[in-house]
């Protein structure tokens, strides 16, 4: 009779135990997770060596590290597995220093790492001292003899590969010393070389592989595409024994980025299986080229195929619209987002805001901005940048004051927009003030972009000597953009002497930039120094420097039309030039005289 009573009790506990582990594995709702935790405490399972790690991992996935640590602290004698679980949780939540602190605490408690400890710790390596951290872990691995588990040296190779040139050299040395390698070892080494842009070495290693999997092929394929070597990528693609959706998507992306939308569409249509990624690549590619009709037709086809766009899709398409100035498609995507009745995430709202701001629809951008339930610094920066670029300097500074008033911490990008606002609005005193407080009040070290904005502001205001002195005082080497900005100011104020000095410095940085000579030619022209104009033109001819034609674009009927100087490629070019001639006649009648430029 006693046995009959005990058996159901044991069975019910066992079932509860198994059900708890199952629930923890799939739980992602914090409230539900807390309910499960309460049941675990009630059943006195919170110190169980199988349950506690699952509970820590579940809280980690919900980004509740305080609760995860509380679970850990309940265990009187945590074992290595529990320490590993906590380290992994810290690494997953980007709390890398805490992961290392846990590792050191484990050693203080006389617990030795196992073969799972170091790969977890390697994932926590980050920051400017990442290489030192990896080298320290490498020393520990050698000391405790964990090379026999191939998972450990593979993790080392992968992490070393993220540490730049010095790291890849260490990875290669380790790889060469390995007596046993698997396909992961080869893939990690090849992947590291590809990331560093060492495609030649990566391909050589790929060709030497005793066996390859799809990851091997896709890694090299991706390397070729990112390097812009689409023909080499396609040659490799054709040789692949097996292709998955990643292989096809990589090739579609490659041709899209290369501007060959016909080839991209051909490959896209041939894909045996499509997920959201290739659809997003194609739609964004069309949008980036200003082909709104093609982009939206494909978007409709995607929805008809039963694929619902996610945040990544919306963000990619909106970013492409912002790049090309394709406002009509951006508006339609906004309508789709609103119609989906899903809560607009901060990232999607930021993409919408950025699209409207860059396309010049500031009223709509402000509407999106003001309607955001939650904003981050990117939201404020996008709105500030939009106001700055379109000449609303004072409104931008008002918004910046509001940002500070709401307790939002500005970053370096914020001050680029603030200084740009001052430059475009001619607010010299305000610009000087904000530049002086960047580091003093906010601890942000001014970068070359901040100096560039100040040079532009001082140059536009006619303070060319002050701008020149500021450039000379820069803690970093001024680039061609900085000197080019000052040269533009010299042209604006006809300062021939300073322009000649600036040009001599620019030539040392980039002798093939025809714009530099063109501006100098225009400065000489404005000053009436025709001999010098001739000298500059002869210099350009003798060095085979040609100024690329400028381009303008305009959106009309869901399509962006681009034009260059003397362009006859547009199907309606005859009508366009007829209208330009009529406009020229009207301008001449009211006394307009065109300004001579090179």
């Amino acid at each position: 009779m006693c046995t009959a009573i005990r058996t159901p009790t044991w069975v019910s506990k066992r079932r509860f135990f198994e059900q708890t582990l199952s629930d923890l594995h799939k739980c992602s709702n914090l409230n539900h997770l807390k309910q499960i935790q309460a049941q675990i405490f009630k059943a006195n399972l919170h110190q169980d060596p199988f349950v506690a790690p699952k509970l820590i991992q579940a809280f980690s996935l919900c980004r509740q590290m305080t609760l995860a640590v509380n679970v850990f602290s309940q265990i009187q004698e945590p074992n290595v597995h529990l320490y590993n679980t906590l380290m992994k949780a810290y690494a997953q939540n980007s709390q890398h220093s805490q992961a290392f602190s846990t590792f050191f605490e484990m050693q203080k408690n006389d617990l030795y790492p196992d073969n799972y400890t170091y790969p977890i710790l390697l994932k926590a390596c980050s920051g400017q001292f990442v290489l030192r951290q990896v080298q320290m872990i490498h020393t520990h691995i050698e000391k405790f003899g964990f090379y026999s588990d191939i998972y450990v040296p593979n993790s080392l190779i992968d992490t070393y590969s993220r540490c730049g040139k010095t790291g890849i050299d260490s990875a290669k040395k380790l790889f060469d010393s390995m007596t046993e390698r698997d396909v992961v070892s080869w893939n990690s080494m090849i992947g590291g070389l590809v990331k560093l842009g060492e495609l030649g070495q990566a391909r050589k290693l790929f060709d030497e592989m005793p066996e390859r999997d799809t990851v091997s092929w896709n890694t090299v394929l991706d390397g070729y595409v990112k390097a812009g070597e689409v023909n080499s990528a396609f040659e490799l693609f054709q040789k692949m024994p097996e292709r998955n959706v990643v292989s096809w998507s990589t090739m579609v992306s490659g041709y899209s980025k290369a501007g060959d939308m016909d080839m991209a569409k051909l490959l896209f249509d041939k894909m045996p299986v499509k997920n959201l990624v290739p659809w997003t690549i194609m739609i964004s590619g069309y949008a980036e080229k200003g082909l709104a009709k093609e982009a939206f037709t494909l978007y409709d086809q995607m929805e008809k195929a039963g694929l619902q766009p996610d945040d990544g899709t919306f963000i990619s398409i909106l970013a492409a619209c912002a790049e090309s100035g394709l406002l009509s498609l951006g508006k339609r995507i906004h309508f789709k987002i609103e119609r989906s009745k899903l809560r607009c995430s901060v990232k999607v709202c930021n993409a919408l805001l950025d699209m409207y701001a860059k396309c010049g629809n500031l009223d709509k951008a402000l509407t999106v901005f003001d309607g955001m339930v939650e904003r981050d610094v990117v939201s404020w920066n996008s709105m500030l940048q939009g106001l700055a670029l379109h000449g609303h300097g004072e409104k931008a500074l008002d918004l910046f004051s509001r940002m500070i008033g709401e307790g939002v911490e500005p970053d370096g990008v914020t001050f680029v927009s603030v200084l740009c606002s001052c430059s475009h609005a001619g607010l010299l005193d305000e610009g000087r003030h904000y530049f002086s407080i960047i580091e003093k009040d906010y601890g942000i070290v001014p970068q070359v972009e901040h100096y560039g904005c100040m040079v532009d502001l001082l140059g536009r205001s006619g303070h060319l000597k002050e701008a020149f002195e500021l450039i000379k005082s820069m803690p970093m080497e001024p680039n061609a953009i900085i000197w080019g900005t000052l040269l533009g100011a010299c042209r604006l104020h006809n300062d021939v002497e300073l322009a000649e000095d600036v040009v001599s410095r620019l030539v040392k940085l980039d002798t093939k930039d025809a714009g530099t000579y063109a501006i100098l030619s225009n400065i000489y022209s404005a000053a009436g120094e025709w001999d010098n104009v001739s000298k500059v033109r002869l210099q350009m001819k003798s060095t085979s420097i040609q100024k690329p034609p400028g381009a303008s674009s305009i959106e009309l009927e869901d399509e962006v039309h681009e034009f260059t100087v003397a362009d006859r490629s547009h199907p309606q070019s005859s009508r366009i030039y007829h209208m330009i001639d009529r406009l020229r006649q009207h301008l001449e009648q009211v006394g307009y005289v065109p300004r001579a430029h090179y």
Side-chain angles (χ1 to χ4, degrees):
M1 191 171 180
C2 288
T3 305
I5 294 170
R6 283 174 188 161
T7 302
T9 306
W10 181 85
V11 170
S12 63
K13 279 189 174 182
R14 181 69 184 173
R15 284 177 180 168
F16 174 76
F17 178 78
E18 290 174 352
Q19 185 61 48
T20 299
L21 290 180
S22 175
D23 289 344
L24 284 172
H25 180 70
K26 59 189 178 185
C27 182
S28 58
N29 182 281
L30 183 58
N31 291 329
H32 185 208
L33 184 55
K34 286 180 177 178
Q35 290 172 8
I36 295 172
Q37 186 186 28
Q39 292 174 344
I40 288 170
F41 269 89
K42 189 176 179 181
N44 200 29
L45 287 172
H46 59 285
Q47 292 199 24
D48 188 279
F50 291 100
V51 175
K54 296 287 184 185
L55 194 54
I56 290 171
Q57 186 64 18
F59 278 127
S60 168
L61 293 174
C62 291
R63 303 209 169 274
Q64 297 293 323
M65 281 307 299
T66 302
L67 297 175
V69 173
N70 285 341
V71 172
F72 180 86
S73 62
Q74 301 277 338
I75 311 299
Q76 292 179 356
E77 293 184 2
N79 57 21
V80 174
H81 175 56
L82 204 64
Y83 272 107
N84 286 346
T85 304
L86 185 60
M87 279 189 280
K88 185 178 180 181
Y90 276 130
Q92 286 173 337
N93 285 270
S94 301
Q95 297 182 23
H96 304 122
S97 60
Q98 289 90 330
F100 276 91
S101 296
T102 305
F103 172 71
F104 295 133
E105 182 187 331
M106 181 179 77
Q107 290 184 305
K108 284 180 183 177
N109 291 333
D110 295 326
L111 286 172
Y112 290 100
D114 61 16
N115 56 333
Y116 293 103
T117 305
Y118 294 110
I120 290 169
L121 204 58
L122 284 166
K123 291 186 184 299
C125 293
S126 67
Q128 64 183 107
F129 302 114
V130 59
L131 184 58
R132 292 185 194 174
Q133 292 172 336
V134 181
Q135 288 169 337
M136 179 202 75
I137 295 168
H138 192 170
T139 304
H140 274 256
I141 290 168
E142 285 185 336
K143 180 180 177 182
F144 291 104
F146 282 109
Y147 276 141
S148 57
D149 184 346
I150 199 166
Y151 179 53
V152 176
N154 283 352
S155 298
L156 258 177
I157 289 170
D158 181 61
T159 314
Y160 266 132
S161 299
R162 293 188 271 117
C163 301
K165 183 68 173 68
T166 307
I168 203 72
D169 289 343
S170 299
K172 190 72 168 68
K173 187 177 179 181
L174 174 59
F175 177 82
D176 291 338
S177 69
M178 290 171 69
T179 54
E180 181 187 349
R181 304 180 191 127
D182 61 7
V183 71
V184 177
S185 317
W186 289 87
N187 287 345
S188 298
M189 194 65 241
I190 291 169
L193 290 166
V194 165
K195 284 176 190 172
L196 205 63
E198 300 287 350
L199 274 178
Q201 288 188 49
R203 181 60 192 265
K204 183 176 181 292
L205 214 58
F206 173 81
D207 292 336
E208 292 172 1
M209 285 184 76
E211 63 173 301
R212 308 180 187 105
D213 60 8
T214 311
V215 174
S216 318
W217 290 89
N218 285 342
T219 301
V220 180
L221 195 71
D222 184 57
Y224 279 128
V225 165
K226 284 180 177 172
E229 297 182 25
V230 190
N231 292 335
S232 298
F234 187 66
E235 184 184 331
L236 189 70
F237 178 76
Q238 288 181 305
K239 292 178 181 177
M240 290 182 72
E242 184 182 347
R243 303 167 187 146
N244 60 13
V245 69
V246 175
S247 321
W248 287 92
S249 298
T250 301
M251 284 310 308
V252 171
S253 175
Y255 280 109
S256 174
K257 288 176 181 175
D260 191 346
M261 293 307 297
D262 291 336
M263 189 62 179
K265 185 65 165 61
L266 181 67
L267 287 169
F268 175 80
D269 290 338
K270 283 187 175 183
M271 286 183 72
V273 179
K274 300 184 186 80
N275 59 17
L276 267 176
V277 174
W279 286 95
T280 303
I281 291 167
M282 281 301 301
I283 296 166
S284 300
Y286 280 131
E288 202 169 296
K289 307 299 179 296
L291 304 171
K293 291 176 183 176
E294 290 85 345
F296 212 75
T297 298
L298 210 59
Y299 187 94
D300 288 337
Q301 289 175 7
M302 180 180 73
E303 288 194 328
K304 286 175 184 176
L307 289 166
Q308 290 303 315
D310 59 9
D311 282 8
T313 302
F314 286 133
I315 290 167
S316 294
I317 298 172
L318 288 168
C321 292
E323 185 71 24
S324 65
L326 200 54
L327 181 59
S328 59
L329 179 60
K331 283 181 176 178
R332 293 189 190 185
I333 296 298
H334 190 183
F335 174 73
K336 291 279 186 182
I337 293 169
E338 290 178 331
R339 198 179 68 177
S340 68
K341 296 181 181 178
L342 295 172
R343 182 177 173 272
C344 189
S345 69
V346 175
K347 288 184 178 179
V348 172
C349 286
N350 285 345
L352 269 172
L353 168 58
D354 185 59
M355 182 275 298
Y356 279 122
K358 285 181 178 174
C359 290
N361 194 334
L362 294 179
D363 290 339
K364 196 66 177 175
L366 281 165
T367 301
V368 172
F369 180 80
D370 290 334
M372 290 176 72
V373 179
E374 183 184 349
R375 303 186 194 101
D376 59 13
V377 69
V378 176
S379 319
W380 291 90
N381 287 348
S382 296
M383 196 65 246
L384 282 166
Q385 186 182 52
L387 290 168
L389 289 176
H390 296 286
H392 298 277
E394 292 183 355
K395 286 184 180 179
L397 297 185
D398 289 341
L399 187 70
F400 176 70
S401 298
R402 180 181 157 192
M403 176 183 180
I404 300 302
E406 292 188 19
V408 181
E409 190 73 22
D411 59 13
V413 177
T414 310
F415 280 102
V416 170
S417 297
V418 168
L419 293 172
C420 183
S421 301
C422 294
S423 179
H424 284 224
L427 303 172
L428 181 59
D429 292 336
E430 289 85 346
R432 283 173 172 154
H433 165 71
Y434 287 119
F435 187 75
S436 69
I437 66 170
I438 294 175
E439 188 168 9
K440 183 177 68 177
D441 291 1
Y442 296 97
I444 300 168
V445 178
Q447 299 300 310
V448 68
E449 295 83 6
H450 303 105
Y451 282 97
C453 289
M454 276 307 295
V455 169
D456 187 45
L457 172 58
L458 292 166
R460 286 172 186 258
S461 304
H463 294 75
L464 301 182
K465 288 184 179 179
E466 186 179 343
F468 188 52
E469 291 302 318
L470 179 65
I471 293 174
K472 290 196 291 186
S473 72
M474 286 171 59
M476 71 285 293
E477 196 68 30
N479 58 24
I481 296 173
I482 295 285
W483 289 116
T485 301
L486 183 58
L487 183 61
C490 292
R491 174 185 174 184
L492 183 66
H493 298 284
N494 293 321
D495 192 327
V496 176
E497 186 179 346
L498 182 57
E500 289 173 337
D501 189 354
V502 172
V503 167
S504 67
R505 296 170 187 269
L506 268 169
V507 167
K508 291 177 183 177
L509 292 173
D510 187 2
T511 57
K512 294 182 180 179
D513 185 5
T516 299
Y517 293 95
I519 293 173
L520 182 60
S521 174
N522 290 329
I523 292 171
Y524 283 140
S525 175
E529 298 184 15
W530 302 109
D531 288 342
N532 285 329
V533 171
S534 299
K535 286 178 184 177
V536 171
R537 293 185 181 185
L538 285 170
Q539 190 174 3
M540 290 180 71
K541 287 180 181 179
S542 65
T543 53
S544 302
I545 297 173
Q546 292 185 346
K547 183 179 181 294
S552 300
S553 59
I554 184 170
E555 183 184 356
L556 183 66
E557 295 180 355
D558 292 348
E559 190 169 347
V560 174
H561 303 262
E562 187 173 272
F563 302 93
T564 57
V565 177
D567 189 1
R568 295 276 179 183
S569 61
H570 196 276
Q572 298 188 48
S573 60
S574 58
R575 293 181 61 191
I576 293 168
Y577 278 104
H578 178 68
M579 178 57 71
I580 290 172
D581 288 337
R582 288 178 59 187
L583 286 171
R584 186 183 294 113
Q585 290 171 14
H586 284 300
L587 288 168
E588 288 173 354
Q589 287 173 7
V590 295
Y592 172 75
V593 178
R595 184 178 174 182
H597 291 288
Y598 176 74

